[in-house]
Amino acid sequence: MEFRVLTKEEYISFTRNHAQANFLNSYEYNAMKAKDGFKTELLGVVDKNEIIAAVSLVYFRIKRIFHY
């Protein structure tokens, strides 16, 4: 099992085929927030070349040391 950064294509494929997917965890939402100045990451857990979990992190820096 490996925790790693996912490519755009890997993330889209996982979320489009997941039963609990919605707009807030879509790649499109991630891209929209990136245009608004947020930092974004696509991360996942991969086991034997199969993605078993994925997350889209959207965050920004506050007061130089904290992230929200």
Side-chain angles (χ1 to χ4, degrees):
M1 218 181 302
E2 173 186 27
F3 184 74
R4 66 174 173 87
V5 175
L6 298 177
T7 65
K8 173 185 171 181
E9 292 77 20
E10 289 174 325
Y11 185 79
I12 289 172
S13 175
F14 180 80
T15 56
R16 295 244 166 106
N17 296 315
H18 197 276
Q20 295 178 339
N22 62 47
F23 178 71
L24 293 177
N25 59 17
S26 68
Y27 178 78
E28 291 77 11
Y29 180 77
N30 186 289
M32 180 182 73
K33 295 309 268 182
K35 286 181 184 176
D36 289 341
F38 288 79
K39 295 182 190 247
T40 62
E41 299 285 339
L42 301 173
L43 304 171
V45 178
V46 181
D47 187 26
K48 299 177 186 170
N49 293 327
E50 181 183 351
I51 301 171
I52 57 174
V55 64
S56 168
L57 293 179
V58 178
Y59 58 96
F60 62 95
R61 189 175 217 162
I62 54 175
K63 297 190 179 186
R64 295 189 185 189
I65 54 173
F66 299 108
H67 288 86
Y68 176 75

